[in-house]
Amino acid sequence: MLPLSLLLIPTLREQYPVYPLNNPQWSLALEIAANVLHAFVLARLPTRRLSALVGVSGIGLAVAIALTGRNTLGSTGDNFSLGLVRVLFCYGSGLVVARLWLANALPSWVRWRWSCAVLVPLALIITLPFWPVSDGVGDILVTLFMLPACFAFTVRAELPRRLESLFAGLGLLSYPLYAIHLPILTIVSLTLPRSWGSFVGPATALVAAAAIARLFERRRGRPAADAIDSAIPTLQA
């Protein structure tokens, strides 16, 4: 099982996780596929055609969510292939927003205070279970409309200079933390009492993610590693 995970080979067994040792790995694997597609196809598409592709994938994703009842597409063997549509929409949406931002073509009203850009997406996720809609409808609204809109607002937000290093560090931590948190939390929960595990697990995952981020970012230059260093004390406080 470990060799399959290391080689990013999914285990396609009906409703079982496609990567039993670290289930979030399904999205990492498909994101790598999306990067390959980007290099050979998406990067060559004009923005209008790319937007059309995102629209078509969004329609397909909405239909898939409506049929399955939730947006858990891609994580289990019976819906792993649908994860391709999910990743294509999300990845493609990010590309479209990035192109418009780089071209300074985002509408002028797409501008929030930085605090709103941080808190509104968080509030959406926290309050979603309490919305008076079905899981499927809620997932469609958030996935296809609200989160892409939040991303567009976020890229236009301007941070105070004193917070730039902190948020840069948090951004560098986010990807490795997502990639490794589940195995660490699982091991801790199986080896320590619950009263200890609820603290030790997240702390261990955070430290491990910081070590990984620092290792790789040091290869790219000192400023990135310094951003990680500045984020850690703030998180610990």
Side-chain angles (χ1 to χ4, degrees):
M1 191 175 295
L2 180 59
L4 292 178
S5 293
L6 294 177
L7 293 173
L8 297 179
I9 299 175
T11 303
L12 303 178
R13 295 180 55 196
E14 296 183 356
Q15 298 182 353
Y16 289 92
V18 291
Y19 293 99
L21 297 182
N22 185 13
N23 201 33
Q25 193 175 341
W26 76 266
S27 64
L28 305 180
L30 292 183
E31 284 169 16
I32 292 174
N35 275 271
V36 174
L37 182 64
H38 182 192
F40 289 99
V41 179
L42 302 182
R44 293 172 168 78
L45 290 179
T47 301
R48 287 188 178 181
R49 291 188 179 181
L50 178 60
S51 299
L53 178 62
V54 170
V56 172
S57 63
I59 293 172
L61 180 57
V63 172
I65 295 174
L67 293 176
T68 59
R70 297 188 68 183
N71 189 11
T72 55
L73 308 174
S75 61
T76 58
D78 58 344
N79 61 31
F80 181 68
S81 60
L82 294 175
L84 295 169
V85 180
R86 179 179 179 182
V87 170
L88 180 59
F89 172 77
C90 297
Y91 191 95
S93 296
L95 289 179
V96 171
V97 172
R99 287 187 183 186
L100 294 177
W101 176 68
L102 289 171
N104 198 27
L106 286 173
S108 58
W109 52 266
V110 181
R111 184 182 294 274
W112 280 356
R113 292 177 56 88
W114 70 269
S115 55
C116 293
V118 172
L119 296 177
V120 169
L122 182 62
L124 286 175
I125 300 301
I126 292 176
T127 61
L128 180 57
F130 305 101
W131 292 10
V133 296
S134 66
D135 290 344
V137 172
D139 284 357
I140 289 173
L141 291 175
V142 170
T143 304
L144 271 68
F145 301 102
M146 294 183 180
L147 289 183
C150 286
F151 178 60
F153 282 110
T154 299
V155 298
R156 288 290 301 270
E158 296 183 5
L159 284 172
R161 292 188 63 86
R162 66 181 184 278
L163 295 178
E164 288 180 357
S165 182
L166 168 63
F167 277 83
L170 292 174
L172 292 171
L173 285 173
S174 64
Y175 200 86
L177 183 61
Y178 174 74
I180 66 171
H181 75 281
L182 186 57
I184 292 176
L185 294 179
T186 301
I187 292 171
V188 169
S189 67
L190 294 175
T191 56
L192 293 179
R194 185 174 181 179
S195 57
W196 283 83
S198 60
F199 169 76
V200 174
T204 303
L206 178 60
V207 171
I212 293 172
R214 186 178 179 85
L215 174 65
F216 283 96
E217 291 302 327
R218 275 201 177 280
R219 298 176 180 271
R220 298 172 55 188
R222 180 73 198 179
D226 289 342
I228 298 171
D229 291 341
S230 68
I232 295 298
T234 306
L235 289 172
Q236 292 174 341

